[in-house]
Each structure stands twice: as structure tokens, then as C-alpha cells.
């Protein structure tokens, strides 16, 4: 059993290194030294060392806690750039596995405090950590939206749970030049963004990756931005700072499919969501995401395969438009389907659809001409929301208004 686990762990870390998820000796050594299966009792050795997230708690069909996918754990540890002796706060202790890894990296002179909102999970994490012989983690049951002031300031604050906002408590509890790493929702994408605190109080990104985390509960929770469209098997997600969607207009338009115009562009699932989709959401008004809520949807063509079902990006008419419509990126039918890139086109719906389709096709071409930017190419600056007057933005910059902050997105030239 112990030898099997050791072999499986070696294979897992070798594969993560091969895939360049693990880049530094500090992260590699931590992953090699912490037995992940001890944090997942009841899960087979193969399951504990597969490159997959393992859900450990549910609310109905929804997972409320999981051990994150090892690839994502490694990517975030690299983004965090931990150094021996540092003080770290983790929001989302979960199984305790990530806290154990971070403890190995910061060493005896450092300190890891891990908070989880669920007391039962904290109790279980304590048992896992003890069985792995990691007794240095300070576990706290509480709402990590508020940080954990008694341990502040922290050199690093890391959320392993998705947030819609950058809360002032986290910024206040960061040490000068500290780093906040969090899965942040940005107009329909979730991005793991490493933000460095500058002397001017602004946070500037040093690294950005795509991710998909469970959403935060408690004080930091916000309503799900996806709304089900009546009878069509689709949910509509609109940007957090955009106008309310025209649900009736979009639903009616989806019942009137128009032509599919093929483009010369090929997209894979990640391209459509965090490549083209993110770029579109940060450069064009009226962007929305369509998500399948059941296998058969109101779209006449398959959606792009994303996760267990499917989804796509679209441009929708604004509320009050006398010609409601929507135009969506769809795979070109008759092509081999898979998770890899495939040719896409644009399908219009409703009277306003053709004009939106023309805009969407032109945007696809502009995105390709810009070098097909991905999540990692964007830079983000987080600061307070501007008061009063509209501020002037640099050309090409996009300001995303959150409740507690403003996120400024820019795309440096390639
Ligand atoms: C993806 S899991 C974290 C995985 C964990 N890092 C590990 O290594 O197993 C997300 C966790 O965030 C916790 N969570 C959700 N909202 C929270 C909050 N407001 N404060 C602290 N933890 C929270 C959940 O209970 C869940 O355990």
C-alpha cells in the first residue's frame, strides 16, 4: 500500500513536471513529500493520484468542497512563489492538502494559517494533517472573506475558492509587497490571478491562468450571474457590471435560428472561454455566455464541449432593442468533434441576429489578428472604485466594476 502510493505519487509528479505545471524544485519537492492519499481517505490510490479534482462534500448535486486538481495545485503554487520563512493565509483549507504543501515550502521558520468556513471540514483536515505528520498548520474555522486578522500581516494570501471580488480585508492583511493569489471571476471567465501589492496601494498582476473553482460561501458570496432561459435548456451568463439581460428577447430569438456563417477560425474549449471569450468580454459590449443546462438545448448545433456539458460565447441585443437577437459561436457541423480545436462559425437568431453575427465574425478575425491572446496575456490592476467622475482610461484598457474594487484589464502588445 505504502509502496503503491509512493509509486503513484512519483508518477503524478513526473507527469506534472513533464507538462511544465511544476517548474521549481521547491514545488516539486513539496509534491513529492506530501502523501495526497492521506488527505483523501476512502479514495483509491489511483483516484488520489489521478490529475483530477476529488469532490469531498456536496450540497445536493453541487460540490461544496474538493481536493483541487493536482495540475491546478501545482500551477497556483508556482504562481504563489513561496519563500522559506514566509507567513501565508489560505482561504479554503478543504482537505488540508494544499496547506501541507505550503508548510513544506515555507519551512520551520514560516507559518501557514488555513481557514475554512465549514467546521466539519476543518476537523477532518486536522486529522489528515496529523496522519501525514504535518503539525505546523494553524487551522481556523471561520469565514475567510474576512481574512484572519490575528495572523496578519501575511506575505502571501491564497484563495483556493472562487471569488467575484477582491475584498478590502485581504488587501489590508497583506504585508508590504505581499502577494494575493485568487480565482477571480472576470466577465464570465474565472482566472487565477497573482496580484502584487505596490507601495501605492494598487495590486498588479504578475501571472494569470485559467481556472475553475467552487464559489466562495458566506459573506463574500454573491448571486450566481447565470439565469436559466425558460424552456431552451440554456442558461445565460452576463458580465457582472453590464446591464440586465433581455431574457424574454433572447429566449424568443433562440426560437428563430438563422444562418450559420463559417469562419476561417478554429477554437478549442479553452480558446472559446478564456481566449476569444475573455477578449470579447473585455473589448465588446453585449457579450454573454450560454451554458447548457441539459444535453438537448435550444441551439440547433452542438455547443462547444466544455466541462460535463457545453457552452459558448455570444453577442446579445441590449434590453429595449426593437430588434432582439443573439449570435453565438458554434462548431461547424460535419467536422470531427472533440475537446481539441475545431473550425467554428457564427449562428444568428432572431431579427437582430444577422447584425450581431457580422460583429461577432469581425471580432473573431480581430482576435486572430491580435495573436489569439489567452488569459495569461492579460494584465490586471486592482484598486479602489473611482468616486464620482468617469475616469479616462488608456486606449485599449477595460475597467470592470466590482462591489469593492475596480479591475483594470490591459493587453500588452505581443
Ligand atoms: C476547492 S476547496 C479547497 C481545497 C483545499 N485547498 C485542499 O487542498 O483540499 C474550497 C474550499 O473553500 C471553502 N470555503 C468556501 N467559502 C469559504 C469561506 N468564505 N471561507 C473559508 N473557506 C471557504 C469550502 O468549504 C471548501 O472546502
Amino acid at each position: 500500500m505504502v509502496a503503491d502510493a509512493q509509486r503513484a505519487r512519483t508518477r503524478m509528479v513526473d507527469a506534472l513536471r513533464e507538462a511544465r505545471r511544476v517548474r521549481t524544485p521547491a514545488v516539486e519537492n513539496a509534491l513529492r513529500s506530501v502523501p495526497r492519499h492521506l488527505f483523501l481517505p476512502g479514495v483509491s490510490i489511483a483516484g488520489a493520484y489521478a490529475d483530477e479534482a476529488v469532490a469531498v462534500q456536496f450540497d445536493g448535486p453541487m460540490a461544496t468542497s474538493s481536493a483541487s486538481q493536482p495540475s491546478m495545485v501545482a500551477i497556483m503554487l508556482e504562481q504563489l512563489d513561496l519563500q522559506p520563512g514566509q507567513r501565508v493565509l489560505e482561504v479554503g483549507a478543504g482537505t488540508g492538502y494544499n496547506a501541507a504543501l505550503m508548510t513544506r515550502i515555507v519551512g520551520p521558520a514560516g507559518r501557514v494559517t488555513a481557514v475554512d468556513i465549514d467546521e466539519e471540514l476543518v476537523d477532518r483536515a486536522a486529522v489528515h494533517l496529523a496522519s501525514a505528520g504535518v503539525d505546523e498548520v494553524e487551522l481556523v474555522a471561520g469565514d475567510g472573506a474576512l481574512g484572519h486578522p490575528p495572523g496578519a500581516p501575511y506575505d502571501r494570501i491564497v484563495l483556493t475558492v472562487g471569488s467575484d471580488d477582491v475584498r478590502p480585508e485581504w488587501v489590508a492583511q497583506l504585508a508590504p509587497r505581499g502577494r494575493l493569489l485568487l480565482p477571480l471571476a472576470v466577465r464570465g471567465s474565472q482566472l487565477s490571478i497573482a496580484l502584487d501589492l505596490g507601495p501605492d496601494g494598487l495590486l498588479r498582476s504578475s501571472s494569470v491562468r485559467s481556472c475553475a473553482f467552487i464559489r466562495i460561501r458566506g459573506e463574500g458570496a454573491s448571486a450566481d450571474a447565470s439565469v436559466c432561459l425558460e424552456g431552451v435548456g440554456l442558461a445565460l451568463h452576463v458580465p457582472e457590471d453590464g446591464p440586465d439581460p433581455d431574457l424574454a428577447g433572447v429566449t424568443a430569438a433562440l426560437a428563430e435560428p438563422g444562418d450559420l456563417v463559417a469562419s476561417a477560425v478554429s477554437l478549442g474549449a479553452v480558446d472559446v472561454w478564456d481566449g476569444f471569450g475573455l477578449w470579447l468580454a473585455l473589448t465588446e459590449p453585449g457579450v454573454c455566455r450560454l451554458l447548457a443546462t441539459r444535453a438537448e438545448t435550444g441551439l440547433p448545433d452542438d455547443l462547444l464541449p466544455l466541462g460535463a456539458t457545453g457552452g459558448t460565447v455570444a453577442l446579445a441585443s441590449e434590453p429595449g432593442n426593437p430588434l432582439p437577437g443573439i449570435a453565438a459561436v458554434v462548431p461547424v457541423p460535419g467536422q470531427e468533434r472533440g475537446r481539441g480545436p475545431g473550425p467554428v462559425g457564427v449562428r444568428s437568431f432572431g431579427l437582430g441576429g444577422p447584425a450581431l453575427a457580422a460583429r461577432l465574425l469581425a471580432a473573431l478575425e480581430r482576435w486572430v489578428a491580435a495573436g489569439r491572446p489567452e488569459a495569461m496575456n492579460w494584465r490586471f490592476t486592482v484598486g479602489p472604485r473611482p468616486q464620482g467622475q468617469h475616469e479616462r482610461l488608456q486606449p485599449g484598457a477595460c475597467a470592470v466594476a466590482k462591489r469593492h474594487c475596480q479591475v483594470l484589464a490591459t493587453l500588452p502588445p505581443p
Side-chain angles (χ1 to χ4, degrees):
M1 165 84 174
V2 174
D4 287 353
Q6 177 69 55
R7 270 195 295 276
R9 187 156 71 252
T10 301
R11 270 199 304 276
M12 178 187 83
V13 184
D14 289 349
L16 292 174
R17 246 184 69 137
E18 182 88 355
R20 308 267 305 132
R21 306 299 192 216
V22 170
R23 288 163 179 264
T24 57
V27 173
E28 180 177 346
N29 292 340
L31 285 160
R32 289 201 191 280
S33 73
V34 178
R36 190 170 192 257
H37 66 286
L38 297 180
F39 294 79
L40 290 166
V43 174
S44 68
I45 293 294
Y49 291 101
D51 193 16
E52 279 165 21
V54 181
V56 295
Q57 190 190 55
F58 290 89
D59 180 7
M62 294 284 288
T64 48
S65 185
S66 63
S68 309
Q69 185 185 9
S71 280
M72 199 63 227
V73 172
I75 288 170
M76 289 183 81
L77 286 175
E78 294 292 2
Q79 287 185 290
L80 207 48
D81 187 28
L82 286 171
Q83 302 299 325
Q86 285 186 327
R87 293 150 301 169
V88 188
L89 174 67
E90 180 182 33
V91 176
T95 63
Y97 176 62
N98 193 48
L101 294 169
M102 296 193 295
T103 301
R104 289 279 181 263
I105 303 176
V106 298
R111 190 186 65 216
V112 174
T113 303
V115 186
D116 205 288
I117 198 161
D118 190 305
E119 206 162 338
E120 191 195 318
L121 288 173
V122 171
D123 291 344
R124 282 199 248 157
V127 174
H128 305 157
L129 286 161
S131 71
V134 182
D135 52 16
E136 307 93 320
V137 176
E138 182 194 9
L139 281 169
V140 178
D143 190 341
L146 311 175
H148 183 61
Y154 300 99
D155 301 298
R156 301 284 187 265
I157 297 180
V158 54
L159 272 78
T160 47
V161 64
S163 176
D164 288 349
D165 212 335
V166 178
R167 292 190 60 95
E169 292 89 342
W170 303 327
V171 185
Q173 291 171 35
L174 266 184
R177 292 185 302 283
R179 178 169 292 183
L180 169 66
L181 173 65
L182 80 168
L184 182 67
V186 180
R187 292 197 178 160
S189 289
Q190 199 192 59
L191 305 173
S192 174
I193 310 183
L195 292 162
D196 292 335
L197 181 61
D200 54 3
L202 297 180
L203 294 149
R204 292 180 181 79
S205 68
S206 51
S207 155
V208 181
R209 297 284 181 275
S210 292
C211 65
F213 274 85
I214 288 167
R215 290 156 58 92
I216 198 165
R217 298 183 260 173
E219 188 82 5
S222 46
D224 189 345
S226 303
V227 200
C228 273
L229 298 175
E230 218 45 54
V232 287
L234 291 166
L236 185 74
H237 181 288
V238 288
E240 55 274 37
D241 56 343
D244 284 342
D246 179 10
L247 293 181
V250 167
T251 309
L254 282 168
E256 296 170 28
D259 293 337
L260 188 157
V261 182
S263 78
V265 180
S266 281
L267 295 177
V270 176
D271 298 326
V272 80
W273 213 252
D274 291 341
F276 177 65
L278 176 65
W279 179 86
L280 191 71
L282 293 173
T283 58
E284 285 278 328
V287 176
C288 59
R289 319 275 180 127
L290 289 168
L291 287 155
T293 54
R294 58 172 196 238
E296 293 297 312
T297 72
L299 283 181
D301 306 296
D302 284 340
L303 292 163
L304 292 144
L306 289 166
T309 50
T312 193
V313 288
L315 288 178
S317 53
E318 305 260 311
N321 189 319
L323 295 179
I326 183 163
V329 174
V330 293
V332 174
Q335 305 281 340
E336 189 69 19
R337 299 296 311 283
R339 290 197 67 80
V344 296
V346 171
R347 165 89 62 190
S348 64
F349 300 84
L351 288 174
L356 293 164
R359 259 178 68 203
L360 197 48
L361 283 161
L364 271 169
E365 280 173 22
R366 283 204 310 282
W367 177 71
V368 171
R372 300 176 64 107
E374 304 170 18
M376 63 162 65
N377 301 117
W378 287 90
R379 298 282 174 276
F380 296 94
T381 305
V382 177
R385 283 185 68 145
Q387 305 291 322
Q389 291 257 314
H390 248 45
E391 65 174 338
R392 288 174 84 91
L393 294 179
Q394 302 270 351
C398 167
V400 182
K402 302 279 187 183
R403 182 160 164 246
H404 292 291
C405 68
Q406 173 178 267
V407 178
L408 208 62
T410 51
L411 190 60

